[in-house]
Amino acid sequence: MAEKKELRRQFEEVPIEAGIYEVANTENQKIFIGKTPNLKTLNGMKHILNMGANNNKELQADWNHFGPDAFTFTVLEVLEKSEDPSFNEKKALEQLEEKWLSDKQPFGERGYNRRPKA
């Protein structure tokens, strides 16, 4: 029980960081690029995929077909926060995601993301 409490304490001490992540399918090389205001929630995403409840139907279908061991989760970039009062974390995170989507092009045969609307 003490070990469980210590692990929880360590988890809670880790700062909440926003960022961009990649889910990569090692079987077909497709990727998904996503953003989150809390990178700690990536374990939650794995849980949702394991439960069969992810909103991305294609990613969920491949997760079900290939299994969790066929996927890797990687943090691509942590959002640097600014002390500037005009700093908008949500907007900055969206811009960071756009940069990575443009760079990686995870659309169609290459990935699970939908093309942004023009």
Side-chain angles (χ1 to χ4, degrees):
M1 189 68 145
E3 183 179 320
K4 203 173 191 181
K5 284 184 179 180
E6 175 60 17
L7 287 172
R8 182 164 191 75
R9 185 192 65 74
Q10 288 175 3
F11 176 79
E12 289 171 352
E13 283 182 2
V14 175
I16 294 175
E17 296 178 305
I20 306 300
Y21 63 91
E22 175 184 271
V23 180
N25 182 330
T26 60
E27 294 289 325
N28 64 14
Q29 283 62 56
K30 283 187 160 190
I31 61 173
F32 174 78
I33 303 296
K35 67 180 180 294
T36 179
N38 183 354
L39 288 166
K40 287 184 185 180
T41 62
L42 289 183
N43 283 333
M45 182 178 185
K46 291 175 191 175
H47 178 70
I48 289 169
L49 284 161
N50 283 328
M51 298 298 291
N54 191 281
N55 290 336
N56 186 311
K57 301 301 180 205
E58 188 178 358
L59 175 59
Q60 184 66 63
D62 278 358
W63 182 275
N64 295 345
H65 177 75
F66 295 110
D69 291 340
F71 291 83
T72 60
F73 287 72
T74 307
V75 174
L76 297 175
E77 189 169 352
V78 174
L79 178 67
E80 286 190 35
K81 296 188 179 180
S82 170
E83 297 300 320
D84 183 336
S86 66
F87 178 72
N88 181 327
E89 182 177 305
K90 185 177 179 182
K91 187 170 185 160
L93 193 56
E94 287 173 359
Q95 290 171 338
L96 204 56
E97 181 186 38
E98 287 172 18
K99 178 189 94 166
W100 280 99
L101 288 171
S102 176
D103 182 53
K104 296 267 191 173
Q105 293 291 310
F107 311 111
E109 294 298 314
R110 296 182 62 180
Y112 299 105
N113 292 81
R114 288 199 172 98
R115 289 195 182 275
K117 294 177 182 165

